[in-house]
Amino acid sequence: MSQIKYSEEHEWVEVGDDGIASIGITDFAQAQLGDLVYIELPEEGQEIQKGESVSVIESVKAASELYAPVSGTIVEVNGALDEKPELVNQDAMGNWFIKVKLSDADELDDLMDEADYKDSIE
Amino acid sequence: MTQATESIKYTPLYDFHKQLGAKMVEFAGYSMPVQYPLGIKQEHLHTREKAGLFDVSHMGQILLKGESAAAELEKLVPVDIVDLPKMKQRYALFTNSRGGVLDDLMVTNIEDGLFLVVNSACKQKDVEHLKRHIQHKCDIEMLKDRSLLALQGPAAAGIMAKLAPESSQMVFMTAANLVLDGVECLVTRSGYTGEDGFEISLPSSHAEHLARLLLEEEDVEMIGLGARDTLRLEAGLCLYGHDLNENITPVEAGLTWALSKERRKDGKRPGGYLGFDKIFEQLEKGIQMKRVGLQPEGKIPVRENSIIVDDDDQIIGKVSSGGFGPSVGGPVSMGYVPIESAKEGTKLWALVRDRAIPMQVVPLPFMKTHYYRG
């Protein structure tokens, strides 16, 4: 059964049965950013380190970044966001940015569960 | 030196904005709505399609009184004020001794004197500037108990006509004293969006009442500062502190149209304002750099302070305003470049993060303006 974990930088991580982690930004993050107009996605196959900037998210207001909440190899990027970044505004939890094969599953333990994340943004 | 901690200021509509769910940010010392639940993009599009209502009460409203007020104000702006007809409005600029711009403003000739609307961040500085130079000849009063609302967009005229039928007689850059639902207002047909519309100066005590009344109209939505910025950017209008500052002259800013012919070298009342010699020299001999419209290729917004380079990789300028234009449907920017790179169609590059974004010099505005000229 998959469980969704959250980072302090307002990313969510959902690890599927195949051990692949889908990563996106939270609804709180999309609301803070406002209307998204451009998302710069990384390359498939790219190795990423936890904490590193992996995507630039441009809203009408400003540019911000998606920081890798876990380390690993990017196995898939969500190309739909290239054409329609507003999908993230419409459903942040339903639109992942990247899928990552984890290099260190223990990193998941550093992330928050839903209850803790909700507390953190209140 | 001691640092003064200034407390944040509020417009009379602060509670109203909060009730509507606005996201408040600090802007020029005021807590202002940057957006409402609709969001910047939809607020922007709504203003272009129907009508947007803006609280711009943070802006400075100044009244100059006295027989020689117009002649005195002409010492500080390169604009014809003496022959400004009653209830007409003109765009003006306070210049410094180097011809740079201290602020840009609107001047309206009303019954009581000259009514000035200045930028919020500059208003204290502007009043001091007026006092220093022309106080001995006229009264300078900051109107502290007045608010300013802007109703902008194609539906604005119809809505205003319902409240005051005589408003339909007004054309762009004229003013009228209108009674709106019992409230005496000074209304100008002008704005900062590129659309037809009105700015309404009224007693702060009645600001919320009128805002609520206007918002009851089906076609009206509240619009925050975020969309105000994207609207003015698409309309090619300057934002002080970004596209204009003390080191940029009106000629360099592409505001030569605002320099009245009466105040030019061969005009009826040539010069006589701060920095006029520099401005005359530039009008005669040309300028080194100029504000231009820049159309970035692709989707990446090219924002303020992005470095501009030419085909030879030489750094030639900087973006002064830029972002995403919701009506354009893509990025739009303005910036300063050397005159030899300012020609329409010139290919330039902007540095954004680790890449060079191709851009083209394009005419301003990005969106056709819809000022009502009768």
Side-chain angles (χ1 to χ4, degrees), chain B residues 284-349:
Chain B
E284 225 161 86
K285 295 183 181 159
I287 43 177
Q288 306 290 314
M289 60 158 193
K290 193 185 168 199
R291 178 174 64 102
V292 293
L294 297 164
Q295 180 63 67
E297 264 178 40
K299 293 184 188 170
I300 299 177
V302 177
R303 299 183 194 273
E304 186 180 355
N305 290 329
S306 300
I307 300 288
I308 302 170
V309 299
D310 65 10
D311 257 344
D312 302 324
D313 280 344
Q314 294 298 307
I315 293 176
I316 59 163
K318 253 188 355 184
V319 170
S320 53
S321 277
F324 179 85
S327 300
V328 170
V332 285
S333 304
M334 304 195 286
Y336 282 86
V337 296
I339 204 77
E340 55 272 20
S341 299
K343 233 183 98 196
E344 270 174 49
T346 305
K347 303 261 191 223
L348 299 169
W349 306 83

Side-chain angles (χ1 to χ4, degrees), chain B residues 232-238 243 252-255 257 290-295 320-321 328 332-336 342 344 360-369:
Chain B
R232 71 90 199 166
L233 175 60
E234 284 185 345
L237 299 169
C238 289
D243 309 294
E252 291 161 343
L255 300 174
W257 58 267
K290 193 185 168 199
R291 178 174 64 102
V292 293
L294 297 164
Q295 180 63 67
S320 53
S321 277
V328 170
V332 285
S333 304
M334 304 195 286
Y336 282 86
E344 270 174 49
Q360 195 174 330
V361 175
V362 293
L364 292 169
F366 294 100
M367 287 298 292
K368 187 175 179 290
T369 55

Side-chain angles (χ1 to χ4, degrees), chain B residues 238-294:
Chain B
C238 289
L239 175 60
Y240 192 80
H242 303 260
D243 309 294
L244 291 176
N245 64 46
E246 298 186 6
N247 300 313
I248 295 170
T249 71
V251 187
E252 291 161 343
L255 300 174
T256 304
W257 58 267
L259 308 172
S260 305
K261 65 178 197 302
E262 290 80 357
R263 309 297 309 282
R264 305 244 189 143
K265 201 167 186 177
D266 54 357
K268 275 194 292 184
R269 296 185 305 285
Y273 55 89
L274 296 174
F276 77 88
D277 42 349
K278 170 79 180 208
I279 288 172
F280 283 1
E281 188 193 315
Q282 288 191 336
L283 287 171
E284 225 161 86
K285 295 183 181 159
I287 43 177
Q288 306 290 314
M289 60 158 193
K290 193 185 168 199
R291 178 174 64 102
V292 293
L294 297 164

Side-chain angles (χ1 to χ4, degrees), chain A residues 57-94:
Chain A
I57 307 165
E58 298 261 14
S59 72
V60 176
K61 270 183 285 185
S64 55
E65 286 165 294
L66 176 95
Y67 298 99
V70 288
S71 308
T73 307
I74 297 173
V75 293
E76 202 178 341
V77 299
N78 187 355
L81 301 185
D82 206 37
E83 277 305 307
K84 287 182 172 273
E86 63 270 25
L87 289 172
V88 177
N89 291 121
Q90 289 155 14
D91 181 10
M93 299 305 288

Side-chain angles (χ1 to χ4, degrees), chain A residues 7-96:
Chain A
S7 76
E8 286 173 8
E9 304 284 356
H10 310 289
E11 288 100 12
W12 57 264
V13 182
E14 183 176 23
V15 182
D17 298 334
D18 52 2
I20 300 290
S22 300
I23 296 169
I25 65 169
T26 65
D27 189 56
F28 176 82
Q30 74 75 21
Q32 290 294 310
L33 295 170
D35 299 308
L36 301 190
V37 296
Y38 177 74
I39 296 173
E40 200 167 284
L41 293 162
E43 300 281 321
E44 279 173 22
Q46 193 180 318
E47 304 264 337
I48 58 170
Q49 291 298 316
K50 180 180 172 176
E52 146 184 25
S53 169
V54 291
S55 168
V56 177
I57 307 165
E58 298 261 14
S59 72
V60 176
K61 270 183 285 185
S64 55
E65 286 165 294
L66 176 95
Y67 298 99
V70 288
S71 308
T73 307
I74 297 173
V75 293
E76 202 178 341
V77 299
N78 187 355
L81 301 185
D82 206 37
E83 277 305 307
K84 287 182 172 273
E86 63 270 25
L87 289 172
V88 177
N89 291 121
Q90 289 155 14
D91 181 10
M93 299 305 288
N95 284 283
W96 52 273

